[in-house]
Amino acid sequence: MATLLHIDSSVYPREASVSRDVAASFRKAWEAEHPDGTVVYRDLGSDPIPHLEGPAAAAGFVDPSEHTPEQAAAFRLREELTSEFERADAVLIGAPMYNYTIPSTLKAWLDHVIVMGRTTAAPTTTVAGKPATVVASRGGGYGPGTPRESFEFVLTYLEKVLGKEGFGLDVEFIVPELTLAESNPAMAGLVDLAKTSRAKAHEAAETRGKALAARFSA
């Protein structure tokens, strides 16, 4: 049975969050295709994990067999999150843009599961090749050639951390844009484009979810 690790990081509930809503389309398609699979869900928006602190960070550079009792205690949450990540067959991440980058709660999760010589910075990491899907919603337009292109630090960051320079995951990004168009009068002329972007994102999420679930069900 395949396991999907689903992480949401929006501070808003699904009815007010495009990243949650589009990620839900992926999950629905995954579960429909693979009803006997397991979904491990972490809602970092409503149940955030603590930011990484010094003792837990330092323990990551010591072989677990050599941990002192204090280091073992400090590393316990990192081990839980990292093992959960390693056990998953596929990963789904909702990563809305907040102030040009990812939510701090998602950064905290990444800081815990980036374990040098294990999940990253090794000839072959323990998660290499695992398929990952990131729903990277954003309120405006930050694509190539747009005035705000240089302000985009969600894809540029996650491509490095999740991709071949980091975990070595097989990453696909789904990017619904202009999500603030309907609530921002200054963006009124972009409402139709926003609706089209969101619809395409849902379609891409459903297609990706179905395809990955089918791969593991075969």
Side-chain angles (χ1 to χ4, degrees), residues 140-165:
Y142 296 83
T146 62
R148 291 278 182 167
E149 178 183 0
S150 65
F151 289 79
E152 202 291 308
F153 299 105
V154 174
L155 302 187
T156 50
Y157 172 66
L158 292 178
E159 283 172 345
K160 298 297 186 294
V161 174
L162 304 180
K164 62 182 181 181
E165 293 89 352

Side-chain angles (χ1 to χ4, degrees), residues 44-207:
L44 303 179
S46 63
D47 188 19
I49 60 175
H51 288 286
L52 184 65
E53 296 183 343
F61 294 95
V62 179
D63 189 285
S65 65
E66 299 177 5
H67 279 170
T68 66
E70 291 76 17
Q71 288 174 327
F75 195 72
R76 192 168 294 124
L77 176 59
R78 296 193 70 187
E79 179 60 41
E80 176 187 345
L81 296 171
T82 301
S83 295
E84 187 174 84
F85 180 26
E86 291 171 328
R87 288 193 300 268
D89 296 289
V91 181
L92 170 65
I93 300 174
M97 176 187 281
Y98 290 162
N99 301 316
Y100 311 121
T101 188
I102 64 174
S104 64
T105 51
L106 179 55
K107 179 60 164 60
W109 179 82
L110 287 167
D111 286 341
H112 280 280
V113 301
I114 293 173
V115 183
M116 301 296 287
R118 180 174 170 181
T119 59
T120 190
T124 177
T125 76
T126 56
V127 294
K130 194 186 301 290
T133 306
V134 179
V135 179
S137 59
R138 48 206 195 186
Y142 296 83
T146 62
R148 291 278 182 167
E149 178 183 0
S150 65
F151 289 79
E152 202 291 308
F153 299 105
V154 174
L155 302 187
T156 50
Y157 172 66
L158 292 178
E159 283 172 345
K160 298 297 186 294
V161 174
L162 304 180
K164 62 182 181 181
E165 293 89 352
F167 294 137
L169 303 177
D170 175 15
V171 188
E172 180 171 309
F173 290 94
I174 297 173
V175 188
E177 293 194 301
L178 308 171
T179 64
L180 294 177
E182 293 188 65
S183 60
N184 185 348
M187 299 174 66
L190 301 173
V191 170
D192 287 344
L193 287 176
K195 290 181 177 179
T196 298
S197 179
R198 186 166 181 169
K200 288 182 177 179
H202 276 289
E203 182 180 355
E206 291 169 5
T207 299

